[in-house]
Amino acid sequence: MLPIEPPRAFPMKRDHRWNWRRSATSPKFEGLDVAVVGGTGGIGRALARHMAARGAKVTVVGQTFRDAGTPGIAFLQADLSLMREARRAAAALPAERLDLVIFTTGIFAAPERQQTAEGLERDMAVSYLNRLVMLDELAPRLGGQRTGASARPRVFSVGFPGSGQAGTLGNLNAERSYQAMAVHMNTVAGNEMLVLDAARRYPHVRFFGLNPGLIKTSIRDNFLGKGSLRSRVTETLIGWFTPTAEAYAGRIAPLLLAPDLEAHSGALFNRKGEPIVPSPGLTDAHIREFMAESEALIARTGIQPATA
Ligand SMILES: NC(=O)c1ccc[n+]([C@@H]2O[C@H](COP(=O)([O-])OP(=O)(O)OC[C@H]3O[C@@H](n4cnc5c(N)ncnc54)[C@H](OP(=O)(O)O)[C@@H]3O)[C@@H](O)[C@H]2O)c1
């Protein structure tokens, strides 16, 4: 079976306790300051372009800028496989003015273990740990200089929440054993826990998790081999049966600004933008332990929490 989506340990469940109302008019992005971390490609790029076309001032963080000359989009270059780069990029963002931050950076674990120059397993570093480092730097500053805003600043983390992954403690850097899917599932679990944890940790900000479902992008290149036959066949099949990144961006854009989200920090949403329930097993104690092990791993690179 091709690794096109996480094994379903748990059928994703709608959260029927609440829903948000779509506004009758299109969402107003004019005058908003937005950062899309991972906004140089795939889903992040589609979201950045959608918002910029509607008047937002968007900074995209990534390695390769593909939107030079597009009005409303500025670029901050960073290799987010490195925690020191994540810290630098976050410090360079004008967090105090930002209305929205969206995290979409990611890869898929390679068939053989890859390690960054800082000694971290590469998928963990790119898809999950840099978000922790960036949040730690950004979250305390978020919204500090916004005036007249009707909502708190919002952070959306794109991953695969609600899919039943609780993560496996004790080998987060995959040094004792390595299996690509198991490693990637730790990034999936980590990203879901990051939202649940941050919602409690930073009450002046609103945090949300987005599960886009399958979308044809470059996310599987590192596993399938960029440009390989396997990759082309997989992405073509995904493209036949699933929405494009642009269609997903258009569908989810109203959610980003919906007033009803204000009272639901920590909420997670499926590919249609409907609320879903968190994965089982994500107890407070488990989240604390997972976060502590993640932070200990980051500390090995010499990056200490900014808030310590
Ligand atoms: N597509 C799907 O089917 C799917 C399904 C479920 C969840 N998701 C999640 O959605 C999110 C976005 O994925 P996507 O499909 O949009 O992937 P994508 O098309 O591969 O885009 C990934 C983004 O991450 C950036 N990136 C990768 N390595 C980086 C590095 N070392 N430093 C800085 N930036 C780096 C890329 O920028 P550069 O090109 O500039 O390096 C690109 O902007 C991920 O969290 C993914 O897990 C995707």
Side-chain angles (χ1 to χ4, degrees):
M1 193 185 81
L2 292 170
I4 55 176
E5 69 174 336
R8 286 287 166 86
F10 163 79
M12 198 175 297
K13 286 193 183 142
R14 270 287 312 277
D15 184 345
H16 291 289
R17 289 169 304 175
W18 76 287
N19 208 343
W20 56 280
R21 282 160 296 177
R22 263 170 208 274
S23 109
T25 53
S26 25
K28 299 257 177 293
F29 286 96
E30 292 107 63
L32 293 189
D33 259 301
V34 182
V36 185
V37 183
T40 48
I43 295 167
R45 183 178 179 210
L47 282 166
R49 289 171 63 88
H50 184 97
M51 292 185 283
R54 287 155 185 79
K57 218 171 95 190
V58 184
T59 303
V60 295
V61 185
Q63 300 181 103
T64 312
F65 193 33
R66 300 177 177 90
D67 288 301
T70 303
I73 303 189
F75 177 49
L76 177 59
Q77 198 279 331
D79 175 358
L80 297 174
S81 68
L82 300 173
M83 300 303 108
R84 63 167 186 278
E85 278 284 280
R87 169 66 59 81
R88 177 190 63 79
L93 287 171
E96 292 79 359
R97 295 201 310 269
L98 290 176
D99 300 288
L100 281 178
V101 178
I102 303 177
F103 287 107
T104 65
T105 309
I107 56 170
F108 203 100
E112 304 290 328
R113 185 177 184 278
Q114 297 176 320
Q115 184 164 292
T116 69
E118 293 176 333
L120 299 181
E121 191 289 320
R122 186 154 165 257
D123 189 18
M124 284 294 284
V126 175
S127 303
Y128 163 56
L129 293 171
N130 75 75
R131 298 189 191 188
L132 270 189
V133 171
M134 293 191 78
L135 259 191
D136 183 57
E137 165 70 38
L138 286 171
R141 296 192 287 126
L142 273 176
Q145 287 171 15
R146 287 161 85 233
T147 48
S150 57
R152 305 284 175 126
R154 293 179 176 184
V155 176
F156 289 84
S157 187
V158 182
F160 221 88
S163 57
Q165 301 300 325
T168 309
L169 286 160
N171 186 31
L172 287 191
N173 206 26
E175 285 159 314
R176 289 198 281 106
S177 60
Y178 181 81
Q179 252 200 327
M181 188 55 96
V183 166
H184 195 63
M185 290 312 106
N186 270 341
T187 74
V188 166
N191 278 323
E192 181 168 346
M193 284 187 259
L194 174 152
V195 171
L196 302 175
D197 182 60
R200 281 190 292 251
R201 215 187 267 219
Y202 307 106
H204 66 290
V205 180
R206 299 291 177 261
F207 292 89
F208 306 99
L210 299 179
N211 185 332
L214 283 180
I215 292 181
K216 180 183 175 185
T217 64
S218 314
I219 191 77
R220 287 156 286 266
D221 277 0
N222 203 40
F223 186 87
L224 298 173
K226 190 174 166 59
S228 68
L229 180 64
R230 211 153 84 104
S231 169
R232 280 183 283 130
V233 170
T234 304
E235 297 302 333
T236 302
L237 285 174
I238 291 174
W240 280 349
F241 297 109
T242 61
T244 60
E246 290 72 25
Y248 173 71
R251 178 189 286 171
I252 225 71
L255 172 75
L256 304 179
L257 302 185
D260 292 339
L261 264 60
E262 205 56 16
H264 292 275
S265 193
L268 311 169
F269 301 92
N270 66 16
R271 66 196 168 88
K272 295 180 183 163
E274 299 162 332
I276 52 174
V277 301
S279 297
L282 301 188
T283 60
D284 290 355
H286 180 71
I287 294 176
R288 261 198 310 279
E289 232 184 308
F290 200 95
M291 289 298 140
E293 197 171 318
S294 304
E295 280 159 8
L297 194 48
I298 291 167
R300 277 170 47 179
T301 70
I303 296 289
Q304 301 297 333
T307 46

